Amino acid sequence: MLDRGHFPSRKAVLYRTLICGLALLGTAVEVLGTVQDGTILQGPIGHGVEWVTMIGLSLDLILQAWNVVVFRHPGESGFTVWRRHQFGLFGLIDMLAVLPFFLAELEALPEDWRTVFGVMRFLKLARYSPALETVGSVLRRESRPLQSAVFIMALLMLSSSTALFLVERGVNPRSFGSIPQSMWWSVVTLTTLGYGDVVPISNLGKLLGGMTALLGVGMFALPASIMATGFAEEVKRRDFLSVWHMVAKVPFFAGLDAEQIASITSLLRVVSAAPGDVLIREGDIGDRMYFIVNGLVSVDFGGKPVVLKDGEFFGEIALLHNSPRTATVTARSRCQLLTLAVQDFHDFIQGSPRIGEAMARTAQQRLSEQEHLEDPVL
Ligand code: CMP
């Protein structure tokens, strides 16, 4: 059977859009509800909209729970599966998006809590976006450098606020009367915010203040740069992993060892095609070849088109023979493909001659099929 796992169905996309829309609307009602001089989403209209969103999100809560219970592994207890789901991260988010609203309607929850949980409905979007998961894994991976950066920041804050307390307390007791009071100035200066509500007035205090500000520019940027690098690496790692999974679906790569798989994974690019997209046109110069991860393509070279499916490849003949494309290849369904550029193709088959030979055999067979068609009498 065709594996279409990578493409959510149209219904799934519609459902996802509906739930995200309801979550956004629910959040908007709560946020605009705090505006003093009335907006359209306040009063009875806002209340009505909130009821509609809450009914929709409650149905989603029930459907999500029903889904995990119905599709549980055989032998697992329905209650255990439900409990694990409902008290896991996404189950809790689903529950907290709706439950506080109904409790507040029953006057069992103070209004402020209703606002807090109402705004948190925004988290419902996390189910459909990898953002939270990515932040979590970046924090875990970069925990050591982040800990060092936090230690240095705390040290700078403590030493600068102590120094300013000692220098300024006599002339400026209202702002620097104690170390905790000076800390506010330290945080504002080190983070380069500089509100200007608290400033040193003695010359030595100003000198120390200037030095603190300069140190702040360098040191407080550290966690941001650690996170930025961590994010870039995480995204690259995820891309690599997703291509790795796709490579595993192409039987042609089955005989490769781990090192060869890693090398081909870094050379391949993922592309998608919609039904009707022309991927290769007969007579064109060949610049890449394709592996089908999932989907169907049709190869047209005059007679009855040949259909290629998951795990097969095409576009190798032009690269192997340094000749124009011998056929036109069109996507028949939505396809997920891996492409290998011409230079990488030659490097790769040089490193894996067995694969090169197998590919050349397939190319030869395909060419002879084309010749048969051109000369049916033979
Ligand atoms: P290329 O000539 O580079 O571009 C068109 C591709 O269609 C070709 O490489 C083959 O990969 C593929 N192709 C050509 N003939 C056949 C065939 N008979 N059966 C399957 N695929 C083919």
Side-chain angles (χ1 to χ4, degrees):
M1 211 179 92
L2 203 64
D3 174 15
R4 296 260 171 84
H6 282 87
F7 296 120
S9 69
R10 208 178 288 266
K11 276 186 201 150
V13 172
L14 209 70
Y15 184 79
R16 183 183 291 195
T17 313
L18 181 73
I19 296 302
C20 289
L22 286 176
L24 282 174
L25 198 61
T27 313
V29 170
E30 212 55 59
V31 169
L32 294 176
T34 62
V35 178
Q36 295 300 326
D37 42 349
T39 64
I40 185 129
L41 283 181
Q42 279 183 341
I45 296 183
H47 202 61
V49 172
E50 198 166 15
W51 262 99
V52 172
T53 60
M54 288 304 102
I55 291 170
L57 295 183
S58 304
L59 287 175
D60 176 56
L61 171 93
I62 295 165
L63 283 176
Q64 297 283 1
W66 181 75
N67 186 40
V68 289
V69 172
V70 169
F71 294 105
R72 66 182 186 273
H73 290 299
E76 270 190 311
S77 128
F79 178 71
T80 316
V81 169
W82 170 78
R83 204 187 44 197
R84 203 186 315 135
H85 155 78
Q86 207 61 72
F87 294 94
L89 179 65
F90 292 124
L92 277 175
I93 290 177
D94 287 350
M95 211 156 46
L96 292 177
V98 290
L99 212 59
F101 167 79
F102 293 114
L103 288 177
E105 286 291 298
L106 295 171
E107 306 205 339
L109 194 77
E111 273 301 300
D112 282 358
W113 282 110
R114 176 191 174 137
T115 309
V116 170
F117 287 114
V119 170
M120 276 167 55
R121 277 170 211 153
F122 189 73
L123 286 176
K124 284 277 290 186
L125 270 63
R127 188 192 285 277
Y128 306 114
S129 137
L132 277 188
E133 215 186 309
T134 310
V135 173
S137 47
V138 171
L139 284 176
R140 266 194 307 278
R141 275 173 190 280
E142 304 295 333
S143 68
R144 273 169 181 275
L146 282 174
Q147 274 169 24
S148 315
V150 168
F151 171 76
I152 294 172
M153 277 163 19
L155 187 71
L156 272 179
M157 193 179 76
L158 209 59
S159 44
S160 60
S161 52
T162 308
L164 261 287
F165 159 70
L166 293 174
V167 172
E168 289 277 312
R169 67 183 156 175
V171 287
N172 201 355
R174 274 175 56 125
S175 302
F176 296 95
S178 67
I179 294 181
Q181 243 181 321
S182 309
M183 273 180 182
W184 169 244
W185 170 85
S186 284
V187 170
V188 170
T189 308
L190 283 167
T191 53
T192 70
L193 279 173
Y195 289 133
D197 56 340
V198 179
V199 286
I201 48 177
S202 71
N203 285 339
L204 186 57
K206 284 181 183 167
L207 181 72
L208 286 173
M211 281 161 58
T212 309
L214 288 176
L215 283 171
V217 173
M219 296 319 297
F220 271 64
L222 210 61
S225 55
I226 293 172
M227 288 296 284
T229 320
F231 259 103
E233 274 171 14
E234 181 68 18
V235 170
K236 234 162 85 186
R237 204 176 62 86
R238 277 170 194 238
D239 281 354
F240 186 83
L241 277 180
S242 79
V243 179
W244 183 294
H245 279 126
M246 290 182 199
V247 169
K249 288 188 178 177
V250 179
F252 202 72
F253 297 127
L256 298 180
D257 60 30
E259 203 181 318
Q260 286 170 316
I261 290 192
S263 95
I264 187 81
T265 299
S266 57
L267 300 177
L268 293 164
R269 298 279 164 271
V270 182
V271 292
S272 299
D277 282 358
V278 176
L279 300 160
I280 285 180
R281 215 178 280 278
E282 191 178 340
D284 280 358
I285 304 289
D287 58 348
R288 74 197 68 186
M289 73 163 294
Y290 297 79
F291 297 91
I292 308 171
V293 178
N294 49 40
L296 297 175
V297 300
S298 91
V299 182
D300 217 331
F301 45 86
K304 193 170 172 283
V306 176
V307 175
L308 301 179
K309 58 178 188 326
D310 310 21
E312 295 189 278
F313 60 84
F314 57 91
E316 77 294 356
I317 298 179
L319 307 195
L320 281 166
H321 295 260
N322 203 9
S323 60
R325 297 292 196 189
T326 58
T328 296
V329 184
T330 316
R332 273 215 173 169
S333 66
R334 291 176 78 189
C335 297
Q336 201 155 35
L337 307 152
L338 293 169
T339 68
L340 184 61
V342 58
Q343 191 50 51
D344 296 334
F345 168 81
H346 288 299
D347 292 346
F348 177 65
I349 57 171
Q350 231 168 33
S352 314
R354 228 167 31 81
I355 293 245
E357 281 159 24
M359 209 172 261
R361 272 198 302 277
T362 310
Q364 206 47 55
Q365 201 179 325
R366 286 174 172 177
L367 279 173
S368 63
E369 277 173 34
Q370 289 184 13
E371 276 162 22
H372 269 83
L373 196 95
E374 276 164 18
D375 199 356
V377 209
L378 289 176

